[in-house]
Each structure stands twice: as structure tokens, then as C-alpha cells.
Amino acid sequence: MSDTSAQPEVHHHGPPQAFIRKYVFSLDHKVIGLQYYGLALVAVFIGMVLSWLFRIHLGWANMAIPGLQLLSPNGAPGGVMTPEYYLSLLTMHGTIMVFFVLTNAPFAGFGNYFLPIQIAAEDMAFPRFNMMSFWTTFVAFLVLMAAFFVHDGPPISGWTAYATLSSVGKAAGPGEALGQDLWIVSIGFFCIGQLLGSLNFIATTLDLRTKGMKLARMPLSTWAWFITACIGLLAFADLLPGAILLLLDRTAGTSFFSPAGLVVGDVVQPHSGGSPLLWQHLFWFFGHPEVYIAIIPAFGIVAHILPAFMRKPMLGGMRVMIGCMTAAAFLSYMVWGHHMFVSGMNPFSAITFSVPTLIITIPFTVATLIFLGSIYGANLRFTSASLFSLGFISVFISGGISGFFLAQPSIDVYVHATYFVVAHFHFVMAVAAIFGIFAGSYFWMPKMVGRMMDETLGKLHFWLTFIGVYCIFMPMHYLGLAGNVRRYAAFTDNYMIPLIPVHKFITIAALLTGAAQLIFLYNLFHTRFWGPIAPENPWEATSLEWSTPSPPPFDNFGGKHPVVYQDPYEYGVEGPQDYVMQTAPGKVTAT
Amino acid sequence: MASTTYPPARPVAKPVMAMPGARALGDQRAVATPQAAATQTGIWVCVCAIFMCFAALISALVVREGASTDWRHLALPRILYFNTLVLMLSSYTLEVCRHRFAASVRQEAGPSETPLPDLFPWLYATILLGSIFVVGQYLAWRALEASGFYLATNPSSSFFYVLTAMHGLHVLGGMAGLIYMARRLARSVSIKQASALGATAVYWHFMGFLWIFLFLVMAIRL
Amino acid sequence: MGKVFCVLLVIITLVSVYPIIAHTWWPPPTISTTGPSVDRQLDETMVGTGVLFISSQLILAGFVWAFGGRKGKIKNWPGGHKPVVAFGIIIVGLEILSLTFVGSKAWAAMYLAPPNEHALRVDVQAEQFAFFFRYAGPDGVFGGVHPELISDATGNYFGLDLEHDVASRDDIVVGSLTIPVDTPILLTLHSKDMIHNFYVPELRLQQDIVPGLEIPLHFTATKAGHYEIVCTQLCGLGHYSMRAFLDVLSQPDFDAWLKQQSGD
């Protein structure tokens, strides 16, 4: 089955024995992947609780939330949230979710675990850099969490940290003192961690593939991770200098982003000549590719999982899906200005950014149509993993549709900075990408921990979550159409007050849906200790991770070097079983 | 099933930066292992990321210059010319070192227990020149401060300090890499170090090219 | 299981679409000359994307019903992937072409067209957390602005040099924007501290107000009434309460108001 002479021995290191080396400062990509996943799990829980807190405040503005004064006596005296604390919680929610959940779990988490296995490499190309990348990210997380505990509290400028609110320092308001500095430092560390990660993904994909694993035979999940790593390389390399310049404006008196003549609270600021728009350009040049970093791995994971549960390959094979992901990644660098249509930049640029933004809808539409067309004629099997994958298609459609509106400046002029935008990005990121993470979790948990997850609990988790997310985020579109402005701590404008009941509905839906996630947490915990033992290939799937034990041995394939003969999604073939593993030699007769 | 000690390596996606003269050997060992290929890919990925970082800073510079009328032009400290020469020289010494490394491997045709003395003076010279460069950059800062331009004095000086500091930091990283190579080579000089030495050289030469590029930008626009 | 998914998704789709069709929560009627073109764009996009949304969700639901739990020989989409890819490119391509052509005209009318030469000019100062509006007064000339003289404490929001600058003495500074109906208005937006935003939903207009920049915004209001101006760009803790009112008066009423303000 595998040819041991296929490649020379590439042992990076022997299996570690000491606890610290094995579980803490591990060089093993599988451990590192699990560490990232674990960090993302902690982060998503914190981010979710933050959203409950500030959403409760939106629905019931004067309510005292018991215990909140313990977290911040200044921010919530007597448990009643102040407007600045609302903004702090909102800022931290966005930052934690975008960076530590959506960039970590689908890309660094699953990618680190499965990319080497899916190409039958023993480990990532640079295990020490890989370890450093996780621990740098971990330090970034700690620095960010520290912002909760400084005197002035976490920053209030949103995850986008627009200058001059973020660049003038303390004078701008509570939260804009040490909290903002810690935020910037955290982001800086995060960039470095991600760059080290991207380095590993790219080098490993290009150079450590096993014999027979041509690029076109890599599974779509590996393709997605590779493309994401390429995007991330340039994106994070742009955010890091931006963050440094912002920190200098705040601490060293420079004027990159702060113009002359600023008078904050009757005090003239010493800056001169800086451009607040410069920050926006630097940020969104990173920021837009970043959201594609969040979605493309989820896309790849779903595209990888669905064939196993449809028992047929994707319509159009590898090329169409790879083409869609590559086109989207490439175009993602040309559209950043669509976040800035009304920012004060030259209105003519709005049109030049709008065109590629609308064009980007094409590869995503084609990919969605391919998903739909692939289901036609399939033998659909329903498991938690496949339900979340099918759900992904639905929520991705819902989220993508609102993109058509936002891409046009003449409509954005009305819905910019309203809940319409909040609806759009939550659907594509908080829902679709999370569905991808859930699908991957249910699909790969048996391989990672060697035990099967409870399917009944998984399916219950799916139904509750699927209904819940629509209840939470669909109404936000209507709020936006009614002109409900975002990042408001309370609604005191005449035309927004009648919308508060909708906010209450959304908050209740959010609390219930959040509670439903406990089912997933419980399932994870229960599986780890008491789940039934998982076979090597419980889903009858074809890719390389299913031709090694659950969980895989230290060097992934137990000393063997698998040779690949088949394309990754040979399902629906004739013969005693309806699939052919990638490692099986011979020619495949498709039906 | 073949059973040679070094089975033919699979075709590598990128052209391998083998050591000078390696092909002349006709020795299969000169062709890259996957790990060596990954090292080459890796260093070029690093180069891309670092380049992007400086591209962002230079775009910021251009935008900032046009955003306001407060830009005052700098006279660049003269010592920068000397520093540039030093950095160029260090690239030369590193290349001589690599040449001698190739020669050593060719001569010994196998792992060597006693490090041949030839390549080390050139490696140390590179490290020394790198240190001189860094010190020289610091002196350039002092010179600029003496003429009244500090970090926050003017956007032009802000960019001067930021660009030179970022470049200097990366040069220090490169020197750490050179010191690491010196220690590895001190243990043994063999073909196994070829790709690591090659990667270190790519990075170091890139630091030189990057410096020239930055120097030009600063001379023209600052 | 597939049938449950299908039914649930159909319900979700219909429930989601209902408030759109019924205009349950909808933009308020527009009062601006450029408003109808924005509304047209919105309606067109709503119809186009509505068709895409409903059909794709129902297709997903239908396919999951039809092929869920199936155990036969798998079938391929008739014609393979090529018609699917072509359909995607052509349909979306056509839609975006038409939207872009019409939409850019609407955008240009708001932001690229030069303001009317006889527009009523109003200077707008945004700050944490209020808007102030300045009219030129009887002399028709705006006084100069001096940031170092800005003082919220003394009510000198624009930093006018009343001592030395004669033109500034008759400038009218108020906390709400009063304008005559059917008259071109030209706002010049300034911010003294953070990025703010001037947004009136009924005008279908918004514009970020960026410190260090002077940003023009022009429009013509077509219906008298009392409207809200809200800040949509996060500017600090009072962002949620930063608002002013827009009063659109008939021409005689506006003249009376202006006269009264000048007399003060």
C-alpha cells in the first residue's frame, strides 16, 4: 500500500517524552493544531458572553446585570453598563471573534492538524516556528485580555480602531488610555504569529507533499488553507506596520494619522498634518483580505466534507472550486475601499472599488451554484457534519445576498454603519464560518481524539443553532433598512425607539442560541472521555487522513510514506464499495 | 522496490539554489531533499512578507507627504553612504564564504570532522560588517538628532526613524541567523548545511537590496 | 431528516422575505431630490437578489428533500458543470453591469456633481458629541476659523475671532439645521476632534466628517418637516446620543427664522 522508499527519511525530531515537550511546547503540528482550537474555544466563549452582556443592555438599557460591577466597577457601577463600557465590550467582542476565533480555528486549528496529514508529510516544514507561532498568538491573547483589567478599561474604538479616536490617546475618552495600547500590542503579536503560521503552511504545501500528491490531487481543504496562508502573508504584513505607526502616534507624539488643529474637549492637541484616512487605507487593505481568511477555510472544509456525505465528487471537479477560491483571494486585494465609500476619500474611487467588489460576487456565486448542482443526484447522508455543511450553504447565501447591496455606493450611502452591515458580516463570518468550524469539528473529531461524537446531541445542536442564527441575524437586515445606526449604546433617537422590541427579540434569540452551544461543549467533553472508540475511517472517506489510525501516530503514518494514486474525491464508483481511497493503486471506473 | 541509500528525489517545484559548483559534482546528494526545498521556499516567503511590510510603510510615506503641507525635507546624514558600502561589502564576504563552503564540501566529498579554516574568517567578517552597519545606523540617528530632527519633529524624520529602525531590526535578525550558521558549521561542514546557508544568504542579500531601495526612497522623498 | 431540513428552510425563507415584501421595517419616505434614485436602486437590487435568494434557498431545500437518504446510482447535473458556471457568470455579470451603470449615475448626482452656485451655504462643525451649524449672516461672508480659539465652555464652537474678525461677528451659530424647502443647500463639514458622520435617513445621504478635511455635501430637500440628523461614525462614549435636528421650512418661514436669528 505504501512505498517506503518513496522519499528519504525526513525525521525532524523523535517523539517527545516529557510532559512539557509533549503537551505544552510541542513541535508536533497535531498538538499545535489542538492548542489553536482550544484557544479558539476559550475565545469564542468569552466573545459570546460579551455579546450577551451588551445585547442585554441594548434591549434593557437601565437594567443592572448582576455581577458586572465585579468585572468593571468603573464601567458598570451597580451593574448598570455605562455607554463607554458598552463600546469597550463591543470592541473586545469584535477583536476576539475576528482574530482569535475566525482566524484561529478554521485556519490555524484545523489547518495545522490536517494539512500535513492530507499531503502525507510527517510534520510542518518548520516545527519550531510553528510552535512559536502558537505561543506568540497565545501571548497576544493574554495581552488583549489584560485590557479588561487596566484602570481605564478596554478600548472603545471598535475592532477597526479608527483614528483619530484611537490615535490621540487618553483625551479621546475612557478606554483610550492603556487599553488601546494593549490592544495595539496584542494585534502586533498576533500578526507575527500569523506570519510564522503562513510561512509554514506555504512551504509545507509546496515542498513536503508525498509521492503522487500532485497539487491538483490535494483535497479542497488543503487548497483552502494554502490559499488562505498566501492571503494572510500579505495582509498581516500590512497590518503590523500600521499598528506600529498607530502606537507611535499615541505614545511618541508623531502625526501619521492625527491632523493639525485637533481640539479634544477644549484642549488643542499637539499633532499636525496626519491623515485619519491613511489609517483606514492601511487597516482595510488588511481588513478585507482578513475576512476572506475567515471564510475561505470554512469554504474549503465544507467542500471537503460534502463529497463524503453526498457520495459523489463536487460538480466540475477540483478545478472549478480551486478557481473560485483563487479568484476570490486575488480580488480580495482590490476591494478594500468598499468599507470607505463615505469616508471622505475621493468619491470617484468609490466607483473603482465598487466594480471589483461586485465582480467578487461571481466566484462566490459560482461556488454556491456548484454546491447546489453537486447535491443533485447525490446519495445524501445526514450526520452532524453534513447538516452543518448543508446549513453552511444556506447561511452563506443569506450573508452573501446583503453583499450585493453594500457593494453599491449608491445604496451604501443609506445603509452604511447601520445594522444592515452588522447583519451582512455576521451572517458570512459569525454564522457561515462558524458552521464550517462546526462541520469540521464533527467530521474530524473522531480522527483527532479517537472517539466518535454523539450524533443525537450533534443533530440537536444543529437544529437549534440553525433556527437560532436566523432569528438573531435576519432581523438585523430590517433594522438596517429602517436606518438603525450601529455601535449605539442605547436608542434615544425618535425613529429608533420603536425598533427596540426587535432588539429585545434578537437578544433573547442570542441568549437561547448561546445556551444551545453548551450542547456542543458538553458533547466535546463527553466524547473526549466516554465516546465510543472511532475506527480509522468512520465516514468511508477517501482523503489521506482516513488512511491512518484515529488518532494518528506521532509521525502521522507510523513510519510509512503513503503514495497517492487517486484524486481526492473518488466517490460513487463501481465496485464492492462506492469509494476509492487516495492511496489505492489502479485506475478508477467512475459511474 | 529500489534500495539505494539516497533514492532519486522527486521533482522539486522551485529551482533549487544549490551551492556553487554542486552540479559539477554529478553527485546525487547535491540535489535537494524536500526539507532543503522547504527551506528555500520558506526564505522566499519571508522575503515576500518583509517586502510587503516595507511597501505598506512606503505607501504610508507617500500618502502622508501629500496629505499636508507640514513636510520638511531632511538632509540625510552622510554616514549613511558609508553604512551602505559596509552592507554591500558584507554581502560580498558572505558570497566568498559560500564559495569556500562549496569548495570544502567538494574536496571532502562527505561530512567533515574538522572544520576547514577557510570559510570562517569570511563568515565572521560578514557578522562584523553587519555589526558595523548597525552601529553606523545608530550614529546616523545621533547625527540627525544633533541637527534637531527627532522622531516626532516632522513626518519626514518620523519615517526616517521608523524605516531605519525596522530595517535595522531585520538586519539584527539576519545576524542572529549568521551566528547560528557559524555554530552549525563549527560542528561540521557538510552538504546538509547547504540549504540553510543558502537561505541565510538570500535573507542577508535581501537586507542589502532592501537597504538600497529604502535609501533611494529616503533620498528622493524625505 | 432531509425532509425536516427542507421544511424548516422553506419556512425560514418565507418568514425572512415577508417583512421585506410587506415593508414592515422600511426606509422612511425620502425628502430629497436624489432620494428616489437611491430608492430605485434599492428596489431593483431587492428584486434581483430576492429572486436569487428565494430560488437558491428553495432549490437547496428541494434537493435535500429529493436526494436525502437516497441509495441509488449517483447522477450528475445534466450538462455537467459548464452550464452551471456559465449561468453563474452570465446572470451575475448582467446583474452587476446593470446595477453599476444605473447606480453610478445615482452616486454621481450626489457626490460628483458640483453644487448649485446659488446654494445656501451652511458650515457644519461636528465634535464630541454635538453638531453646530453656522450661517454667514447678513454680510454673506463667513468669518475665519481658529482652532486655538475653540471653546465649548464659552460657546465658541467654531473658533471665531469676534474681537478682530469683523466678518465673523454676524455669523449665526445654532444647534439645529434649519433650511428652506426646495432650495439647494451646500454644507461644508468640519470636525474638530474625531471622525463623525452626518446622516439623515430621509435624505438618503450620509458623509463621514473627517478632522483635517473640509468635506462638501449638497442636497435639496423637497418636503417640509422635522427630521433627525444622527452621527454614524463611532466617535466616543457619547456617540449614541450625538444628534441634531433638521428643520425644513417653507421659504417664508425660513426667511422669518433667519431674520429673527440675525436680529439676536
Side-chain angles (χ1 to χ4, degrees):
Chain A
M1 191 182 87
S2 57
D3 179 354
T4 55
S5 71
Q7 63 194 49
E9 304 288 294
V10 199
H11 284 308
H12 304 280
H13 44 88
Q17 305 302 328
F19 179 86
I20 294 267
R21 234 354 182 193
K22 213 169 161 187
Y23 296 114
V24 183
F25 293 111
S26 171
L27 301 176
D28 182 357
H29 69 99
K30 299 186 287 298
V31 175
I32 293 171
L34 285 172
Q35 287 174 327
Y36 269 114
Y37 187 84
L39 179 61
L41 210 53
V42 170
V44 80
F45 180 70
I46 295 176
M48 204 168 57
V49 169
L50 293 177
S51 73
W52 295 344
L53 292 173
F54 66 70
R55 276 228 63 94
I56 290 174
H57 179 76
L58 279 182
W60 296 269
N62 298 313
M63 189 173 107
I65 299 174
L68 195 57
Q69 66 275 29
L70 296 172
L71 184 55
S72 173
N74 286 340
V80 181
M81 198 182 289
T82 54
E84 56 269 31
Y85 202 57
Y86 174 86
L87 293 174
S88 291
L89 295 182
L90 181 160
T91 302
M92 296 297 271
H93 165 82
T95 310
I96 291 171
M97 291 304 207
V98 173
F99 289 105
F100 294 95
V101 179
L102 293 174
T103 316
N104 264 351
F107 174 60
F110 287 129
N112 260 307
Y113 200 107
F114 285 104
L115 188 144
I117 298 179
Q118 288 188 342
I119 61 173
E122 271 186 32
D123 202 321
M124 286 285 189
F126 312 112
R128 268 169 297 191
F129 283 154
N130 211 17
M131 176 190 73
M132 273 162 49
S133 112
F134 171 73
W135 286 105
T136 312
T137 309
F138 185 77
V139 166
F141 187 70
L142 290 180
V143 171
L144 187 67
M145 290 297 108
F148 275 115
F149 302 105
V150 298
H151 181 261
D152 254 10
I156 59 171
S157 51
W159 87 284
T160 48
Y162 275 16
T164 50
L165 182 58
S166 62
S167 66
V168 295
K170 280 181 78 113
E176 283 306 308
L178 188 55
Q180 184 77 68
D181 296 322
L182 288 171
W183 184 95
I184 297 174
V185 170
S186 165
I187 295 304
F189 275 117
F190 189 84
C191 288
I192 296 174
Q194 289 304 301
L195 289 171
L196 289 172
S198 289
L199 167 67
N200 257 307
F201 277 57
I202 296 173
T204 307
T205 310
L206 289 178
D207 295 310
L208 296 189
R209 282 167 286 128
T210 191
K211 184 168 182 211
M213 180 59 80
K214 299 186 283 205
L215 281 173
R217 282 197 185 141
M218 298 194 310
L220 289 169
S221 46
T222 302
W223 267 103
W225 291 319
F226 174 65
I227 291 170
T228 304
C230 294
I231 302 177
L233 195 72
L234 300 180
F236 285 103
D238 165 80
L239 181 62
L240 182 58
I244 293 173
L245 296 185
L246 185 61
L247 195 60
L248 288 176
D249 260 17
R250 293 174 55 80
T251 56
T254 53
S255 302
F256 296 109
F257 308 120
S258 306
L262 284 180
V263 182
V264 185
D266 279 357
V267 175
V268 180
Q269 301 296 310
H271 299 281
S272 92
S275 166
L277 288 179
L278 177 58
W279 166 259
Q280 291 182 39
H281 283 294
L282 284 171
F283 181 82
W284 284 118
F285 188 79
F286 146 79
H288 194 82
E290 161 69 359
V291 304
Y292 286 63
I293 292 171
I295 194 63
I296 288 182
F299 230 98
I301 290 173
V302 167
H304 176 68
I305 292 176
L306 272 177
F309 296 108
M310 299 190 303
R311 310 313 294 171
K312 65 186 285 228
M314 278 292 167
L315 187 64
M318 300 291 289
R319 253 186 251 161
V320 178
M321 286 303 293
I322 295 172
C324 291
M325 290 194 284
T326 309
F330 182 71
L331 284 165
S332 74
Y333 277 98
M334 296 162 60
V335 301
W336 79 92
H338 68 228
H339 301 270
M340 296 170 63
F341 283 150
V342 294
S343 66
M345 72 174 180
N346 185 334
F348 191 73
S349 346
I351 307 204
T352 55
F353 279 113
S354 164
V355 173
T357 308
L358 285 166
I359 294 178
I360 248 187
T361 59
I362 296 181
F364 281 124
T365 307
V366 168
T368 310
L369 290 176
I370 290 288
F371 276 135
L372 292 176
S374 305
I375 301 177
Y376 177 86
N379 288 342
L380 264 182
R381 293 179 180 177
F382 294 110
T383 61
S384 315
S386 70
L387 282 170
F388 271 106
S389 303
L390 294 168
F392 172 91
I393 302 174
S394 170
V395 297
F396 187 74
I397 292 171
S398 301
I401 289 290
S402 45
F404 275 98
F405 293 82
L406 295 163
Q408 302 174 63
S410 50
I411 297 182
D412 188 59
V413 80
Y414 180 74
V415 290
H416 171 78
T418 65
Y419 269 81
F420 196 84
V421 182
V422 179
H424 170 70
F425 65 69
H426 276 97
F427 252 117
V428 280
M429 293 207 296
V431 186
I434 296 279
F435 271 42
I437 296 172
F438 282 140
S441 303
Y442 286 109
F443 187 63
W444 278 316
M445 202 57 65
K447 181 58 57 181
M448 292 196 287
V449 301
R451 294 173 182 268
M452 300 299 291
M453 290 190 76
D454 187 306
E455 275 296 310
T456 312
L457 287 179
K459 285 171 179 151
L460 180 63
H461 173 224
F462 167 74
W463 296 117
L464 292 175
T465 306
F466 192 53
I467 300 171
V469 295
Y470 268 104
C471 290
I472 301 171
F473 297 110
M474 193 50 85
M476 289 190 184
H477 294 100
Y478 318 137
L479 290 174
L481 286 173
N484 198 161
V485 179
R486 65 183 287 211
R487 292 175 166 167
Y488 268 24
F491 301 115
T492 54
D493 299 288
N494 296 336
Y495 78 94
M496 291 193 221
I497 292 174
L499 301 171
I500 293 180
V502 183
H503 282 281
K504 289 186 176 168
F505 173 80
I506 293 175
T507 302
I508 295 174
L511 289 166
L512 290 173
T513 312
Q517 306 316 303
L518 293 173
I519 301 177
F520 176 70
L521 265 179
Y522 171 75
N523 200 349
L524 277 181
F525 183 75
H526 186 271
T527 301
R528 174 66 182 80
F529 296 105
W530 301 292
I533 303 289
E536 194 170 282
N537 192 357
W539 311 120
E540 297 184 301
T542 59
S543 42
L544 286 180
E545 71 264 35
W546 306 109
S547 59
T548 190
S550 308
F554 170 72
D555 60 352
N556 297 338
F557 289 92
K560 305 198 196 84
H561 295 291
V563 178
V564 168
Y565 298 94
Q566 310 298 345
D567 287 344
Y569 302 111
E570 295 293 352
Y571 295 103
V573 299
E574 284 182 5
Q577 52 188 32
D578 72 338
Y579 66 103
V580 181
M581 310 257 340
Q582 277 197 279
T583 45
K587 196 131 174 50
V588 171
T589 326
T591 49
Chain B
M1 265 177 36
S3 58
T4 52
T5 330
Y6 286 94
R10 56 168 193 78
V12 171
K14 287 185 126 64
V16 177
M17 289 181 78
M19 329 155 293
R23 293 205 197 288
L25 275 176
D27 187 340
Q28 283 183 332
R29 287 173 296 162
V31 189
T33 62
Q35 190 58 35
T39 307
Q40 295 301 334
T41 307
I43 200 64
W44 284 105
V45 167
C46 275
V47 164
C48 281
I50 298 171
F51 182 75
M52 180 68 216
C53 176
F54 282 92
L57 284 171
I58 296 190
S59 317
L61 188 162
V62 172
V63 170
R64 177 62 178 86
E65 198 184 347
S68 172
T69 51
D70 66 338
W71 193 273
R72 267 164 61 202
H73 286 282
L74 280 183
L76 293 179
R78 294 297 192 95
I79 196 173
L80 289 179
Y81 292 93
F82 172 72
N83 295 346
T84 311
L85 276 167
V86 166
L87 199 58
M88 300 297 99
L89 198 58
S90 72
S91 277
Y92 172 73
T93 52
L94 186 57
E95 274 308 292
V96 174
C97 167
R98 288 216 309 154
H99 224 266
R100 290 175 174 233
F101 170 80
S104 305
V105 175
R106 218 175 324 158
Q107 268 174 11
E108 293 293 324
S112 160
E113 287 314 319
T114 48
L116 293 173
D118 260 353
L119 64 89
F120 284 93
W122 294 93
L123 187 54
Y124 296 145
T126 310
I127 297 173
L128 178 65
L129 288 167
S131 317
I132 295 176
F133 175 81
V134 173
V135 171
Q137 295 291 80
Y138 174 70
L139 291 176
W141 284 16
R142 296 292 298 268
L144 203 61
E145 281 167 19
S147 64
F149 281 93
Y150 295 81
L151 176 59
T153 310
N154 193 267
S156 59
S157 62
S158 301
F159 275 106
F160 176 84
Y161 287 105
V162 170
L163 287 170
T164 48
M166 288 287 277
H167 178 261
L169 271 171
H170 284 90
V171 166
L172 285 173
M175 280 174 53
L178 287 170
I179 294 172
Y180 168 75
M181 275 321 299
R183 290 178 55 195
R184 258 184 84 170
L185 288 168
R187 281 198 293 272
S188 81
V189 175
S190 80
I191 196 163
K192 288 204 186 115
Q193 275 93 12
S195 67
L197 186 58
T200 313
V202 167
Y203 184 92
W204 191 259
H205 297 322
F206 173 64
M207 286 296 116
F209 280 121
L210 183 60
W211 172 248
I212 293 181
F213 177 60
L214 288 177
F215 195 19
L216 277 171
V217 169
M218 291 195 293
I220 295 172
R221 297 207 77 118
L222 282 190
Chain C
M1 188 113 326
K3 298 186 166 55
V4 176
F5 184 93
C6 171
V7 170
L8 185 60
L9 188 52
V10 171
I11 295 174
I12 287 175
T13 306
L14 296 176
V15 169
S16 301
V17 166
Y18 174 77
I20 302 284
I21 299 177
H23 286 6
T24 318
W25 296 281
W26 205 247
T30 179
I31 61 159
S32 148
T33 49
T34 50
S37 61
V38 172
D39 285 349
R40 228 175 357 250
Q41 200 71 9
L42 188 63
D43 287 337
E44 252 187 56
T45 311
M46 200 62 85
V47 169
T49 55
V51 167
L52 269 178
F53 175 75
I54 296 174
S55 54
S56 52
Q57 299 281 17
L58 292 183
I59 288 173
L60 176 62
F63 280 3
V64 170
W65 177 298
F67 302 105
R70 186 167 166 274
K71 280 185 175 36
K73 201 163 129 140
I74 54 156
K75 290 188 285 192
N76 253 333
W77 180 262
H81 67 275
K82 290 204 178 96
V84 175
V85 175
F87 179 81
I89 296 178
I90 292 172
I91 291 295
V92 177
L94 283 175
E95 198 164 327
I96 65 188
L97 272 174
S98 64
L99 288 174
T100 310
F101 273 124
V102 182
S104 39
K105 288 206 193 91
W107 175 258
M110 291 183 276
Y111 290 93
L112 291 172
N116 189 306
E117 332 178 306
H118 305 294
L120 170 66
R121 289 163 195 275
V122 183
D123 216 22
V124 181
Q125 176 83 305
E127 59 173 63
Q128 284 182 323
F129 300 100
F131 294 97
F132 295 102
F133 306 93
R134 179 165 73 124
Y135 299 77
D139 69 348
V141 177
F142 284 103
V145 161
H146 308 272
E148 66 279 10
L149 296 177
I150 292 179
S151 165
D152 279 356
T154 61
N156 191 356
Y157 304 111
F158 284 85
L160 302 176
D161 188 1
L162 295 166
E163 244 184 81
H164 304 110
D165 185 0
V166 180
S168 68
R169 289 189 193 143
D170 68 343
D171 287 358
I172 300 164
V173 177
V174 285
S176 57
L177 180 59
T178 307
I179 59 172
V181 74
D182 294 325
T183 309
I185 310 290
L186 173 60
L187 301 178
T188 309
L189 304 168
H190 311 273
S191 163
K192 84 182 221 307
D193 45 34
M194 310 297 151
I195 303 183
H196 298 277
N197 182 295
F198 176 96
Y199 178 49
V200 180
E202 288 85 350
L203 289 179
R204 304 290 193 265
L205 263 188
Q206 62 174 301
Q207 176 60 54
D208 273 3
I209 310 177
V210 183
L213 295 181
E214 275 196 16
I215 303 179
L217 186 65
H218 60 85
F219 61 91
T220 304
T222 54
K223 188 154 182 279
H226 182 73
Y227 309 99
E228 280 174 295
I229 304 167
V230 292
C231 174
T232 69
Q233 181 52 47
L234 179 53
C235 51
L237 68 90
H239 172 56
Y240 74 102
S241 63
M242 181 168 166
R243 89 179 62 88
F245 288 106
L246 169 66
D247 287 302
V248 184
L249 304 177
S250 66
Q251 191 65 53
D253 285 345
F254 176 76
D255 292 335
W257 175 85
L258 197 58
K259 201 156 164 222
Q260 186 205 28
Q261 292 296 324
S262 316
D264 281 342

